[in-house]
Amino acid sequence: MKTRSITLCVNGRDYTFEVPHNRTLLQALRDDLKLTDTKYGCGSGECGGCTVLINGKDNINSCLTLAAEMEGKHITTVGGLTKNGQLHPIQQAFVELGAIQCGFCTPGMVMKTASLLAHNPNPSEDDIRRGLEGNICRCTGYENIIRAVQKASQMINASATQCAGGACS
Amino acid sequence: MSSHMSSRGLPEFELLIPRTSPEAMDMLAQHRDQLSILNGGTALWNYVRGRNRVTPYVLSLSALKGLDYINEIPGDGLRIGAKATIAQLIEHPAVSAKYAALHESGYWFGNPTVRNMATVMGNVLRASPSADCSCALLALGCQVILQNKSGQRAVDIDDFWLSYDVTARKPDELAVEIRIPEPKATTRSAFQRLTRVRQDLAKLNVAVRLEMDKGVCQQARIAIGCVGPTTMRVKKTEALLQGKAINDSLLEQLATSVRGEISPIDDQRSTALYRQQVAGVIVKRTISRAAADKGATQ
Amino acid sequence: MSDLTYVGKNIPKVDAKEKVTGQAIYAGDLQFPDTLFGKIVRCWEHAHAKVTHLDLSEAAKVPGVVKVLGPKDVTQKLYNCGVLDLLASEEVGHMLGEIEDQRIFTDYVRHQGDAICGIIAETQEIAEAAAAKVIVKYEPLPVYLQPEESAKPDAIQFDARKPGNKAFQLPEQMFPNNVYGWGDVDAEMAKAELIIENTFQLPKVKQCQIEPHAYVALFDQRGRLSIWTSTQMPKLVQNKLARLFEMPLSKLNLIPTTIGGGFGGKLGMIFEPETCAMALAVPGRHVKVQSLREEDWVASESRHPGKYWLKIGFLKDGTPVAADALFTADTGAYFTHATGVPFTTGAWLIGMYKYGAVRYKTNAYYTNKAPSGAFRGYGNPQTNFVLEQTVDQACRQLGIDPVEWRKRWHKQVGDDGWCLGIPYASSSLTECLERGAAKIGWAEKRAKYANQSGPKRRGVGVSVMNHTSGAMPMLLEHTVAKVKMNEDGSAVINVACSDVGAGSHTALTQIAAETLGIPMEDIYIDNNMDSAGFDVGSHASRTAYVGGGAVMKACEDVNRQLIERASTRLGIPVDQLEIKNRQVVSKDGKASMSVKEICNVGVSNYINPANGERNGVPGQIQGYASHFPSHNSPPFGACFAEVEIDIETGQTKVVEMVIAHDIGRAIHPPSVHGQLAGGAQQALGMTLTEEIRYDEKGLIQNNSFFDYKLFGPLDMPKLTTILVENPDPGAPYGLKSVGEAGTVNPVGAVANAVSHALGIMFTEAPITPERILKAVNERGIK
């Protein structure tokens, strides 16, 4: 199997490593870099558990993305939103609003929220529901997640320091 | 979906990432049908996983510059580059202002993540009868620009899908652009689809373009998906609209006519019977909405 | 409002921060040096076949493959991945006809996805590449997809112990005439002035926990077998594995990981046997097995489908004189839960209404579908679809308001619950019905939607349910809790209770904090299975109830010891002392001693060299409880749903839902709301979209989220949850369960709303647009 040497910037840190051509970004994150905060839920882009941010703004399914195509891109995972142990407002809102049950969809939901709020800082409830489509939660019925996104939007708008997408500058 | 033993990883292939268009053309010319083109990845990788096999080579468009545009050319129309995503499509002001059917098809397409990854061109190249943007494009009419080492050619969308999963693109060609003619001030269009839940492929989709003149339809294009091997036009039904004022009795006639023109099948998303029953309803509603110039994305 | 400090409070869950930062470790996230990867090779092309030829030689030659294991290379012992055998006595198990019929790797395929062999390799990719080189030849056998087919006399027999492929019926010794119920049904039914009789078809539905099954196992040089698993039932799986691999429990080290959702999908053993068998074959090396999403559908359990015949007779005034029921259950390819769900599906029927007489019978048959098992609600969603629609049909014909009928005829305090002989000790169902009806605007909407025209039709429906908190007395209920008081006065609670995500560790911490009178931050729930005593595990919505009872008792044991020590030290009788605000204080308020000091002195018990005296009572304080609850404190609930149906397309939109739940006391209200909302998502799926479909060869057609459609954020209705809190007298802090209950009531409420909108009752779930349009056309509704 042919390999390529790639450099990925994940959560602000550069990693240079060899990947087989058919390596997905999800495999590279989890298996090569041992960054297991991004989850495998279906491998077909339907559950959203593997959602990561590209260049601090756009969410993608890392299971449907080749690692080799991500050369030079800034990738943010849920772990990258936390700065010096300080929760990002989105994370804080998820904790406070009971938006987390089993937690397996949570990393993807949080990253999806980050992308949603980066594009639309004041979403309506309908915008939030539409914005979270593609990420399946089997535990919460989405109710507490939607409330958390509303709260996160308020928290971010009230704070001058933190942008929704968070990590990569 | 998979009836083969599945695996976590993708099957093996050699990834080609050309940096320039000529380089890409050379690779296409060299590997021809041994090569798949990777654009957004949402369609290709699921296609590959579903079959657990892939061509020996995969050509990624990721490093090609200048293909991610959506340009409105006044007096001419809309040009959509091969790498323009669905997310770009629905954010483009000219698309929502003048190409309602296309905008609506993008609006309902997949989910935000998929819209960030998937491209309009990829949707067309997948040659699936359930493709939403493809349905709108067929109704609007457009050309697909194909390029190989020796030059470009334009294929009309009506001639582009040859059958399920087969297009007019030759193995050495790269589809580089979609050109949609500029609508007149009196052109109306709309798109509607039915799904099982919100995030789904269509079980039926319909797009229409009407040339209206004081309440009379001068010309119509009606595209329907999921009722045959490719997204198709129902030309007899289109002809019924020509020169007619749109009213309830005409709409009933259209619904009946549509049923006679389609040949849906049973699949995981719906049944042939159901599609037969609702195709006319959705055509009626889409035409009414287009004629009334009411959006369906809110 | 209560005077409680921690119980009932809206505080962040104890595990929320680790989950929201991605630091929670699920089994698939585990990283060990020198890990090998196991791949279970499954039969994908047949649902019923003999393996005539298995050639592992090419797979073994793939560089990086460490070992290949065929059926003969692993234990030949049979097992049943379910756990009912550990929860009932051997005599009862024998009466029920529990059998073990599963193998780690098989040469006889009974359903698509049966495991054939295993590959162990240096990487996941190598294991998968080698798996593709395994050569298997099959002799296909006739495929039976319905009980009617497998029950035919000439059908191939799945198991000699189960003639006619009948896996289960209610046993004569426990249920005379194979009937669960009371009264003379035939005589009572003869009095009926209206009989509603239908056969309902129930779908096979998947748990779809978002975390696919994953494991790591290690057989170490000391002879211990360690298994990291996200099982819902750590102790029972530990017991099952110890039995299967013939090891003492002291050598079977089960390490529970964070659970990415269970819903019954991680109840009992799933792929632990295969994983452990692989680890045993490569001593000294960790083996990681990660299943794929598509594997989950074909190889693990799902909800029991079947045909449910129900006949209820009524008098004109609504009196339900008799109910007669037969559930023909499809247990799938293996025995698994063939006893449990078919029984409970009737139990929920029995527990609901004051019928004059009731007779429930059930037969479970093998088929070549994936095994049926536990899925949140354990038969109750099925019952809800059937019973609640039957009641509404009667109400329609009798001209009785469905809410009023339910208020009149639902069981009350003193009536027997799902288990005859165990009467309800509390019930707030009437209040649930009243508050829910007011919230959704029941009376106005029922009237408003009575006569509609046009393509969009609205309807509003109601449903009620009863459930349980733990499974006593039918099944064993037992949790051991140990509370170790640290020398600084903080506490570690050692229990085997798992938290499937429902928030049970948070609830247990709240209960401990409340009982001990110390802050939640000073309490940690320790899940070490070597040290933890027995616990049944997460099923039957029992953890807050039974686990909570155990934790409360163990904390009370700590308090008793603290007071005794303070009494000795202060010279004040124990009955004059109480614990307040981390102090043991005399009731007159004159003397006190801090909890921290008592704990510290118990540990650092110095001898004064001058006088040889100790500085207090020696010994570290530990509380202990081995708790067997005396009741099952069933919760009730009422649900209201409003739908809008497009009669030209059959599309249903659930517009609004109100769920009122008889919770007793909500220990952690956000979790209770979350359970109800999340349960609704699953119930709406079963009612409207979700069903595993098979082709004629018995191969699953929709083993992916592409074609098995779950409700997303835009599909969910506007949702209101109402918690009705009237504490149950026999429950810790008065709590009653919620988890499983969430999945029950929206099923019937939505189905009834659909019938209200259209005047058509659907006997087959899911109620798809295709089914609706067909029915609308047949009835000529315009």
Side-chain angles (χ1 to χ4, degrees):
Chain A
M1 186 64 198
K2 291 213 172 179
T3 61
R4 288 177 96 96
S5 174
I6 59 166
T7 300
L8 296 184
C9 173
V10 185
N11 300 333
R13 186 176 150 192
D14 282 341
Y15 298 85
T16 301
F17 58 112
E18 286 281 316
V19 284
H21 286 191
N22 64 351
R23 202 80 159 158
T24 63
L25 177 59
L26 178 64
Q27 288 176 303
L29 290 171
R30 288 184 60 84
D31 301 341
D32 297 329
L33 305 182
K34 315 291 184 202
L35 299 172
T36 56
D37 52 336
T38 304
K39 304 301 180 193
Y40 165 89
C42 71
S44 54
E46 288 278 313
C47 78
C50 68
T51 306
V52 298
L53 280 196
I54 296 301
N55 298 336
K57 201 167 177 194
D58 294 323
N59 65 90
I60 62 160
N61 288 316
S62 59
C63 73
L64 292 180
T65 303
L66 291 183
E69 287 191 289
M70 289 291 108
E71 170 74 36
K73 296 249 167 68
H74 289 277
I75 294 152
T76 314
T77 70
V78 77
L81 286 187
T82 313
K83 297 283 184 215
N84 304 318
Q86 191 77 27
L87 298 190
H88 187 279
I90 297 171
Q91 294 172 314
Q92 191 62 41
F94 270 62
V95 168
E96 286 176 17
L97 272 291
I100 303 156
Q101 291 192 17
C102 86
F104 202 77
C105 79
T106 305
M109 282 291 179
V110 169
M111 299 323 285
K112 190 87 155 207
T113 303
S115 180
L116 164 65
L117 296 180
H119 284 92
N120 181 0
N122 293 298
S124 66
E125 176 168 336
D126 208 54
D127 291 338
I128 294 169
R129 288 182 185 271
R130 182 169 151 81
L132 295 177
E133 275 290 338
N135 285 46
I136 300 172
C137 174
R138 193 59 155 168
C139 291
T140 63
Y142 311 99
E143 273 295 316
N144 290 350
I145 294 176
I146 290 160
R147 305 301 150 232
V149 177
Q150 288 171 330
K151 170 100 190 237
S153 135
Q154 292 160 10
M155 289 166 75
I156 292 169
N157 291 341
S159 112
T161 51
Q162 252 167 321
C163 70
C168 279
S169 47
Chain B
M1 184 183 106
S2 347
S3 60
H4 55 78
M5 190 168 67
S6 49
S7 61
R8 204 176 183 85
L10 293 166
E12 291 189 9
F13 55 83
E14 183 172 341
L15 180 67
L16 309 171
I17 311 183
R19 310 226 147 243
T20 65
S21 197
E23 201 187 336
M25 300 304 154
D26 283 341
M27 288 169 173
L28 284 160
Q30 187 187 347
H31 299 298
R32 300 184 65 87
D33 59 0
Q34 297 296 295
L35 176 148
S36 305
I37 295 171
L38 168 61
N39 203 345
T42 56
L44 178 67
W45 296 131
N46 280 313
Y47 184 88
V48 165
R49 279 187 204 276
R51 289 156 184 78
N52 209 20
R53 54 167 203 273
V54 64
T55 50
Y57 299 92
V58 170
L59 182 144
S60 161
L61 304 186
S62 58
L64 289 185
K65 300 266 186 296
L67 286 174
D68 57 354
Y69 57 85
I70 297 178
N71 294 330
E72 192 199 13
I73 299 174
D76 181 19
L78 200 67
R79 306 267 171 110
I80 302 173
K83 286 172 64 178
T85 63
I86 313 289
Q88 283 175 263
L89 181 81
I90 60 178
E91 280 160 20
H92 198 283
V95 176
S96 48
K98 296 186 186 169
Y99 303 86
L102 186 57
H103 181 255
E104 287 163 8
S105 74
Y107 184 89
W108 294 113
F109 188 100
N111 62 60
T113 315
V114 172
R115 290 195 292 269
N116 279 338
M117 301 172 73
T119 59
V120 182
M121 186 65 88
N123 193 253
V124 172
L125 288 171
R126 173 69 186 79
S128 161
S130 65
D132 292 325
C133 290
S134 296
C135 183
L137 288 168
L138 181 61
L140 293 177
C142 68
Q143 290 187 319
V144 181
I145 308 303
L146 299 165
Q147 188 178 344
N148 66 7
K149 285 174 80 166
S150 38
Q152 283 194 348
R153 67 183 177 118
V155 178
D156 203 280
I157 194 70
D158 286 85
D159 305 320
F160 192 74
W161 301 302
L162 305 180
S163 63
Y164 177 76
D165 198 24
V166 183
T167 71
R169 184 186 74 87
K170 294 190 180 129
D172 67 341
E173 289 176 323
L174 187 67
V176 292
E177 188 178 270
I178 294 165
R179 291 181 187 165
I180 312 171
E182 184 166 73
K184 297 181 197 139
T186 51
T187 303
R188 300 283 177 267
S189 73
F191 168 90
Q192 191 180 338
R193 66 175 200 163
L194 291 176
T195 54
R196 294 166 293 188
V197 296
R198 174 62 185 80
Q199 185 201 310
D200 197 3
L201 296 173
K203 62 167 86 165
L204 187 93
N205 50 21
V206 171
V208 302
R209 190 191 83 184
L210 309 176
E211 302 300 338
M212 300 298 292
D213 183 16
K214 300 185 187 80
V216 172
C217 177
Q218 297 303 331
Q219 200 208 3
R221 285 174 69 100
I222 305 171
I224 311 188
C226 312
V227 293
T230 65
T231 298
M232 61 184 277
R233 284 173 62 190
V234 281
K235 294 188 179 174
K236 288 180 192 159
T237 309
E238 290 174 0
L240 291 176
L241 264 161
Q242 209 166 333
K244 303 271 177 58
I246 295 170
N247 56 35
D248 287 350
S249 86
L250 177 66
L251 288 171
E252 281 313 316
Q253 265 186 307
L254 299 177
T256 311
S257 166
V258 164
R259 288 184 199 115
E261 285 197 77
I262 57 175
S263 49
I265 57 166
D266 290 351
D267 63 14
Q268 291 308 311
R269 295 195 293 284
S270 190
T271 64
L273 176 68
Y274 179 82
R275 287 168 164 140
Q276 275 288 356
Q277 288 169 333
V278 298
V281 175
I282 302 304
V283 165
K284 264 194 320 195
R285 291 182 182 181
T286 314
I287 289 172
S288 299
R289 198 161 48 73
D293 207 13
K294 277 191 194 149
T297 56
Q298 296 311 316
Chain C
M1 284 309 288
S2 71
D3 55 357
L4 300 171
T5 308
Y6 302 101
V7 162
K9 293 297 179 291
N10 185 349
I11 35 97
K13 286 170 68 181
V14 295
D15 53 356
K17 285 188 182 176
E18 66 209 50
K19 285 176 172 173
V20 86
T21 52
Q23 287 170 16
I25 299 297
Y26 300 85
D29 301 336
L30 291 162
Q31 309 280 347
F32 295 100
D34 218 18
T35 299
L36 295 171
F37 291 82
K39 172 83 178 172
I40 302 168
V41 179
R42 303 183 181 281
C43 173
W44 284 87
E45 48 282 61
H46 298 285
H48 200 187
K50 276 183 195 155
V51 175
T52 54
H53 178 77
L54 176 65
D55 181 355
L56 300 173
S57 58
E58 288 303 311
K61 283 182 207 154
V62 174
V65 169
V66 174
K67 210 144 204 175
V68 293
L69 299 174
K72 297 277 156 52
D73 302 320
V74 296
T75 179
Q76 298 300 294
K77 283 192 72 166
L78 296 172
Y79 60 91
N80 177 338
C81 65
V83 290
L84 293 181
D85 54 338
L86 297 176
L87 298 177
S89 69
E90 216 169 300
E91 295 93 306
V92 168
H94 186 73
M95 270 191 268
L96 292 171
E98 286 277 338
I99 62 164
E100 297 181 319
D101 58 359
Q102 292 171 280
R103 296 169 195 280
I104 292 176
F105 299 126
T106 189
D107 57 5
Y108 186 104
V109 173
R110 281 161 63 159
H111 66 93
Q112 182 191 25
D114 242 343
I116 305 297
C117 60
I119 310 280
I120 308 164
E122 296 289 348
T123 68
Q124 180 82 42
E125 292 72 29
I126 293 169
E128 290 183 338
K133 304 225 164 189
V134 170
I135 298 163
V136 197
K137 289 183 183 157
Y138 297 100
E139 178 194 329
L141 299 169
V143 172
Y144 310 110
L145 294 176
Q146 299 299 334
E148 298 83 57
E149 298 163 16
S150 58
K152 282 183 185 160
D154 60 345
I156 292 171
Q157 299 296 293
F158 281 53
D159 196 297
R161 295 166 288 183
K162 299 291 175 187
N165 289 329
K166 191 189 219 181
F168 177 70
Q169 63 179 356
L170 296 175
E172 183 67 34
Q173 303 97 305
M174 295 169 79
F175 302 92
N177 301 314
N178 313 108
V179 165
Y180 189 39
W182 69 79
D184 184 340
V185 166
D186 295 325
E188 295 300 317
M189 194 69 85
K191 299 174 189 163
E193 292 163 326
L194 171 72
I195 287 177
I196 305 291
E197 178 181 358
N198 290 288
T199 299
F200 295 83
Q201 187 76 47
L202 298 157
K204 191 165 175 71
V205 186
K206 194 73 187 115
Q207 296 90 349
C208 294
Q209 78 293 339
I210 302 298
E211 180 204 17
H213 304 293
Y215 314 89
V216 177
L218 168 71
F219 184 48
D220 67 23
Q221 294 303 331
R222 201 162 161 174
R224 279 198 10 135
L225 176 61
S226 297
I227 169 92
W228 287 258
T229 165
S230 62
T231 179
Q232 296 178 221
M233 296 186 143
K235 278 288 164 186
L236 297 193
V237 169
Q238 186 187 24
N239 271 276
K240 285 237 134 182
L241 290 170
R243 186 193 290 182
L244 178 61
F245 296 106
E246 299 175 89
M247 286 180 154
L249 281 169
S250 55
K251 284 200 166 169
L252 204 299
N253 176 30
L254 188 144
I255 304 119
T257 63
T258 311
I259 303 171
F263 319 118
K266 291 170 182 162
L267 190 150
M269 296 191 295
I270 315 299
F271 309 140
E272 286 94 345
E274 293 91 331
T275 307
C276 288
M278 290 195 220
L280 287 166
V282 287
R285 297 195 66 180
H286 290 83
V287 178
K288 188 172 190 175
V289 173
Q290 308 175 85
S291 74
L292 296 156
R293 175 58 61 185
E294 50 268 43
E295 227 176 328
D296 188 283
W297 259 282
V298 299
S300 67
E301 295 170 356
S302 34
R303 186 171 279 151
H304 283 70
K307 282 203 166 76
Y308 199 138
W309 171 80
L310 177 63
K311 175 178 171 182
I312 303 186
F314 299 85
L315 299 183
K316 280 183 184 151
D317 67 359
T319 306
V321 290
D324 203 359
L326 172 65
F327 180 40
T328 306
D330 173 353
T331 195
Y334 292 101
F335 192 80
T336 58
H337 291 249
T339 59
V341 171
F343 166 73
T344 57
T345 302
W348 313 123
L349 172 83
I350 298 250
M352 198 65 248
Y353 296 120
K354 299 175 187 176
Y355 320 99
V358 56
R359 172 167 64 199
Y360 173 77
K361 296 179 104 170
T362 183
N363 298 310
Y365 291 91
Y366 289 113
T367 64
N368 293 115
K369 293 188 199 148
S372 297
F375 182 3
R376 192 174 181 182
Y378 213 64
N380 212 348
Q382 293 98 311
T383 302
N384 201 256
F385 186 75
V386 169
L387 176 59
E388 292 303 288
Q389 288 206 86
T390 301
V391 165
D392 263 36
Q393 207 186 16
C395 287
R396 192 153 52 241
Q397 296 194 28
L398 295 169
I400 298 173
D401 179 85
V403 172
E404 293 307 315
W405 189 93
R406 286 173 172 86
K407 276 158 72 176
R408 170 71 184 82
W409 294 107
H410 78 72
K411 284 188 171 180
Q412 310 271 6
V413 172
D415 294 326
D416 281 346
W418 61 267
C419 183
L420 296 177
I422 307 286
Y424 288 110
S426 65
S427 168
S428 299
L429 181 50
T430 299
E431 187 179 340
C432 289
L433 278 162
E434 286 169 352
R435 288 174 65 182
K439 180 72 195 166
I440 204 157
W442 171 260
E444 307 85 77
K445 283 177 177 166
R446 286 293 282 196
K448 189 174 160 195
Y449 303 148
N451 291 300
Q452 298 176 79
S453 58
K456 301 279 173 76
R457 304 285 167 90
R458 289 220 172 187
V460 58
V462 63
S463 170
V464 296
M465 55 125 226
N466 68 98
H467 204 68
T468 196
S469 307
M472 80 74 70
M474 276 293 171
L475 299 177
L476 172 68
E477 275 302 352
H478 181 198
T479 296
V480 174
K482 290 184 275 186
V483 180
K484 181 191 67 169
M485 296 305 291
N486 290 320
E487 44 274 39
D488 63 356
S490 67
V492 173
I493 297 177
N494 177 226
V495 282
C497 301
S498 56
D499 187 338
V500 291
S504 50
H505 283 184
T506 301
L508 296 184
T509 308
Q510 288 173 283
I511 287 170
E514 194 69 56
T515 313
L516 291 172
I518 65 175
M520 287 177 66
E521 295 73 41
D522 287 2
I523 299 169
Y524 180 70
I525 301 276
D526 165 37
N527 251 180
N528 183 304
M529 290 304 140
D530 280 329
S531 52
F534 186 78
D535 172 65
V536 165
S538 279
H539 86 135
S541 298
R542 64 175 292 283
T543 305
Y545 183 76
V546 185
V551 166
M552 191 176 81
K553 276 189 184 171
C555 290
E556 287 168 351
D557 189 32
V558 166
N559 290 345
R560 178 188 55 79
Q561 295 176 52
L562 288 168
I563 287 175
E564 281 173 6
R565 301 235 182 145
S567 167
T568 306
R569 193 63 190 268
L570 299 171
I572 299 171
V574 291
D575 59 2
Q576 295 301 307
L577 293 169
E578 60 189 350
I579 298 179
K580 267 188 183 167
N581 213 4
R582 312 171 97 173
Q583 300 279 324
V584 180
V585 291
S586 62
K587 287 181 181 170
D588 62 11
K590 287 181 181 160
S592 74
M593 210 182 155
S594 80
V595 166
K596 180 180 172 181
E597 188 191 346
I598 299 169
C599 293
N600 186 41
V601 164
V603 172
S604 304
N605 200 257
Y606 304 117
I607 296 169
N608 184 338
N611 57 17
E613 283 179 10
R614 291 186 174 272
N615 63 343
V617 184
Q620 183 161 12
I621 291 179
Q622 289 215 53
Y624 177 85
S626 185
H627 175 60
F628 298 81
S630 55
H631 207 280
N632 54 31
S633 302
F636 289 90
C639 177
F640 294 82
E642 180 174 355
V643 300
E644 181 177 275
I645 300 171
D646 184 331
I647 60 164
E648 292 179 348
T649 63
Q651 292 229 310
T652 300
K653 181 173 172 48
V654 184
V655 180
E656 186 177 356
M657 192 170 269
V658 175
I659 304 170
H661 189 68
D662 169 28
I663 188 69
R665 187 193 303 276
I667 302 296
H668 188 241
S671 289
V672 178
H673 289 292
Q675 286 297 299
L676 293 171
Q681 191 266 6
Q682 300 181 0
L684 287 166
M686 169 176 163
T687 315
L688 297 174
T689 61
E690 295 182 31
E691 180 178 29
I692 304 175
R693 289 187 303 272
Y694 290 82
D695 69 7
E696 69 283 358
K697 286 180 69 187
L699 307 182
I700 296 182
Q701 295 301 285
N702 54 343
N703 59 336
S704 71
F705 292 133
F706 283 108
D707 282 320
Y708 185 97
K709 298 314 285 188
L710 308 180
F711 266 43
L714 277 171
D715 304 304
M716 288 298 289
K718 176 186 166 202
L719 192 64
T720 307
T721 46
I722 298 169
L723 306 186
V724 178
E725 294 191 81
N726 293 310
D728 183 89
Y733 293 100
L735 76 90
K736 300 200 276 188
S737 77
V738 60
E740 292 199 322
T743 332
V744 179
N745 244 339
V747 173
V750 169
N752 281 336
V754 170
S755 339
H756 183 232
L758 299 177
I760 303 171
M761 185 180 79
F762 288 84
T763 55
E764 200 167 349
I767 307 172
T768 59
E770 286 75 9
R771 286 176 175 149
I772 288 176
L773 192 62
K774 183 167 176 282
V776 163
N777 287 340
E778 281 168 4
R779 305 286 180 95
I781 295 173
K782 282 202 173 120

